[in-house]
Amino acid sequence: MTSSRTTIYESIGGADAVAAAVDRFYERVLADPALVGYFDGLDMARLKGHQRSFIAAAIGGPELYEGRPMKEAHARFRIRPAHFDLVVGHLVATLTELGVPAETIGTIGETLGPLKADIAPPENTLAG
């Protein structure tokens, strides 16, 4: 028996749509003076590849995310919770701009939201 349910990944256009979203997302993030410093010296092509895989896997795509756990991957950056929220705002704006339905954006947010505790733990509020 096959399922007639469409994944979020399929409903937004698959790999091409995820790639476009990731590219536009990083344009927005790198233009934000509060966030750009986190990306100094990073290999953006590699980071975008990880981000595409992560997002695709999170929304039902066939890709497997093989990166490090979120807590480990982000610990050295000491990301502040407010900066995590800015990143989420850029993601929402990007998806909205690309015509992703609000309900789908909400579902993506529900999937990614719990990662805040690993990526930007409350103790980073005091980071210098």
Side-chain angles (χ1 to χ4, degrees), residues 30-108:
L30 293 174
D32 187 325
L35 300 174
V36 69
Y38 288 112
F39 299 91
D40 288 344
L42 294 183
D43 179 344
M44 289 306 296
R46 183 171 182 248
L47 181 59
K48 286 180 180 182
H50 281 295
Q51 189 73 15
R52 284 189 300 268
S53 294
F54 176 76
I55 289 176
I59 61 173
E63 289 85 351
L64 296 176
Y65 174 72
E66 297 178 349
R68 293 178 291 163
M70 292 294 114
K71 188 171 191 168
E72 179 184 329
H74 294 89
R76 71 181 175 120
F77 299 107
R78 299 194 49 84
I79 298 169
R80 295 177 184 206
H83 290 165
F84 178 90
D85 294 341
L86 286 173
V87 169
V88 170
H90 287 302
L91 179 60
V92 168
T94 298
L95 296 174
T96 300
E97 179 182 298
L98 294 173
V100 176
E103 181 179 332
T104 300
I105 294 171
T107 302
I108 292 169

